[in-house]
Amino acid sequence: MKNVALITGVTGQDGSYLSELLLSKGYEVHGLIRRHSTICTERIEHIMNNLDYKDRFFLHYGDVTDSCNLSNLIYEIHPNEVYNLAAQSHVGVSFEVPEYTAEATGVSTIKLLEAIRQTNPAIKFYQASTSELFGGIPETAPQSETTPFYPKSPYGAAKLYSYWVTVNYREAYNMFTCNGILFNHESPRRGSEFVTRKITIAVAKIMAGKQDKLSLGNLNAKRDWGYAGDYVEGMWLMLQQDNPGDYVLATNETHTVREFVEAAFNEVDVNIEWRGSGIDEKGYCSKTGKLLVDVNPKYFRPAEVDLLLGNPAKAESQLGWKRKVSFRELVSMMVKSDINMFF
Ligand code: NAP
Ligand code: G4F
């Protein structure tokens, strides 16, 4: 039987890597895209233009807030796997558009689950859950599937709803639904408004003489950063098991934003020397004394998640999943890609 997958959020970072993975495994892949006034398919252009995939990769206009659209798509496409990656995924922005975030990142999940339940409850379902669910209790790090949740943003709260309806449909209707509780994962395709890509773009532009300095918010926040290409493999593995479940994907290693900055500048042989503290902290080139990094409070969030560090032991033992790309390799890959773009 042919494997058919529907991916919401196909134009996003993860959607693009997951599409590549599923197509390489022989799947027919359908992606949900929103209509934009400008082109938004940059991350999947290479797939759309690949003649090998012309009969196996299809895009459909839609929006996860539109339940009629979701029902129609499930009915027409007949997928056997659905990956729900669509979301207003920026934590900081969720404080500015809280209600929309609740709709797109939270309520939309039950619309999709209902569409599946009413059409074909045998469809396997992956929900893009997040380490932001753990939010405010750093003393419990490293965080695992059994760590209590305490979201610290409208985004985290919306994802909490999605997490629980995914569990609920498994328990109530015996559906094959899984939560991937994924810690931060990055790549050269990461959106430029997330901190890692903001940093690597700035490094490239500063080296190319196209930017003066990099302004950031909280330099002390700690994140467990992995490579997106490794994480989509884990998503797929979750849906290949005999039984559904919830799994943490993480590296079990954490770094501050400050350390990411240092590592990214090291890639271009610049050593950062920090002076001052709090909002007066500044990073200078240790050789030339040029100011390269400062803090701008406009990037602070109304509430912050201080420390994320994940324990992926369950995914490693039950799925056979293991991250392949190290922190250093990730930083290097992202800086090199942005250097290529701006030189
Ligand atoms: P991303 O790059 O921001 O992509 C989000 C995708 O969702 C885009 O394709 C976007 O479409 C789509 N989308 C947003 N609102 C939509 C709507 N109303 N209807 C239909 N599509 C909509 O996010 P990502 O990094 O790939 O992450 C994928 C998923 O994993 C998200 O749910 C995110 O919250 C979750 N997650 C991410 C991480 C991480 O570190 N990357 C960690 C844990 C969980 P447009 O292109 O039209 O905007
Ligand atoms: O890169 P970020 O915006 O990612 P954040 O908030 O951790 O969320 C990402 O990972 C989650 C998984 O844990 C996903 F669920 C979510 O969808 C998203 O992909 O910020 C990382 C840290 C934060 O503590 C933030 O306050 O970096 C800090 N930061 C410091 N300066 C900054 C900046 N973040 C951004 N975006 N921009 C800054 O200038």
Side-chain angles (χ1 to χ4, degrees):
M1 206 183 73
K2 171 172 79 165
N3 274 319
V4 180
L6 169 64
I7 303 176
T8 72
V10 73
T11 54
Q13 171 188 254
D14 292 5
S16 66
Y17 285 110
L18 182 64
S19 297
E20 284 170 7
L21 179 78
L22 297 182
L23 287 164
S24 75
K25 290 182 183 297
Y27 278 63
E28 179 177 302
V29 174
H30 295 257
L32 178 70
I33 59 164
R34 293 192 285 181
R35 191 262 160 185
H36 288 250
S37 62
T38 52
I39 301 294
C40 69
T41 47
E42 193 190 337
R43 293 185 180 104
I44 52 171
E45 210 74 46
H46 61 291
I47 303 175
M48 293 161 69
N49 295 332
N50 187 330
L51 292 180
D52 290 347
Y53 297 148
K54 79 175 168 30
D55 299 324
R56 285 199 290 127
F57 187 64
F58 305 97
L59 298 174
H60 308 263
Y61 279 114
D63 194 297
V64 287
T65 59
D66 181 340
S67 53
C68 298
N69 169 247
L70 296 176
S71 297
N72 289 342
L73 284 176
I74 298 288
Y75 183 75
E76 282 163 19
I77 294 168
H78 288 298
N80 48 327
E81 294 177 8
V82 172
Y83 295 85
N84 186 27
L85 309 186
Q88 189 306 90
S89 73
H90 198 284
V91 175
V93 170
S94 78
F95 288 97
E96 290 174 42
V97 286
E99 187 178 336
Y100 174 69
T101 302
E103 284 294 334
T105 306
V107 178
S108 64
T109 305
I110 205 147
K111 294 179 181 172
L112 192 47
L113 282 166
E114 264 304 286
I116 293 170
R117 186 178 77 85
Q118 290 179 17
T119 311
N120 175 10
I123 293 169
K124 293 180 174 180
F125 177 80
Y126 173 86
Q127 171 57 23
S129 286
T130 166
S131 47
E132 281 290 309
L133 295 174
F134 301 121
I137 26 181
E139 62 273 17
T140 52
Q143 295 115 359
S144 72
E145 293 81 2
T146 54
T147 304
F149 296 141
Y150 186 165
K152 296 272 279 188
S153 63
Y155 168 82
K159 284 284 187 184
L160 184 73
Y161 176 77
S162 288
Y163 173 93
W164 281 116
V165 290
T166 300
V167 172
N168 180 240
Y169 271 52
R170 181 164 74 219
E171 293 175 349
Y173 304 116
N174 207 22
M175 286 166 56
F176 196 111
T177 62
C178 296
N179 282 291
I181 308 170
L182 271 50
F183 283 63
N184 298 50
H185 45 280
E186 320 293 312
S187 74
R189 298 183 200 167
R190 184 59 141 154
S192 57
E193 73 281 20
F194 296 97
V195 78
T196 55
R197 189 77 198 293
K198 181 175 168 181
I199 294 167
T200 60
I201 288 174
V203 168
K205 285 180 126 180
I206 288 170
M207 296 314 286
K210 294 178 176 150
Q211 185 172 329
D212 247 11
K213 63 175 168 68
L214 163 67
S215 295
L216 292 169
N218 181 6
L219 297 173
N220 297 317
K222 288 182 151 183
R223 289 293 181 273
D224 180 328
W225 281 298
Y227 170 54
D230 289 345
Y231 286 55
V232 298
E233 180 95 32
M235 296 177 188
W236 174 76
L237 282 169
M238 288 177 212
L239 297 198
Q240 313 314 309
Q241 303 306 301
D242 290 338
N243 296 303
D246 307 315
Y247 300 88
V248 161
L249 299 185
T251 71
N252 205 7
E253 194 181 314
T254 193
H255 296 272
T256 59
V257 171
R258 190 182 293 98
E259 285 164 357
F260 196 102
V261 170
E262 289 166 1
F265 276 104
N266 279 348
E267 283 298 315
V268 292
D269 293 326
V270 171
N271 187 45
I272 297 287
E273 196 177 288
W274 299 99
R275 286 181 229 151
S277 62
I279 58 167
D280 295 322
E281 184 165 359
K282 292 184 171 47
Y284 298 88
C285 172
S286 67
K287 232 185 253 166
T288 64
K290 182 181 176 336
L291 172 67
L292 294 176
V293 189
D294 66 7
V295 172
N296 187 333
K298 89 171 178 197
Y299 298 114
F300 291 159
R301 293 170 181 178
E304 178 63 285
V305 171
D306 296 320
L307 165 64
L308 291 176
L309 170 63
N311 174 359
K314 180 180 175 189
E316 289 180 357
S317 66
Q318 292 188 18
L319 305 179
W321 178 83
K322 190 138 187 70
R323 66 96 174 235
K324 299 184 188 88
V325 175
S326 71
F327 175 72
R328 279 278 162 186
E329 288 166 339
L330 173 66
V331 176
S332 177
M333 174 199 304
M334 292 177 71
V335 172
K336 284 197 175 99
S337 165
D338 285 325
I339 293 274
N340 282 339
M341 192 177 307
F342 292 106
F343 272 87

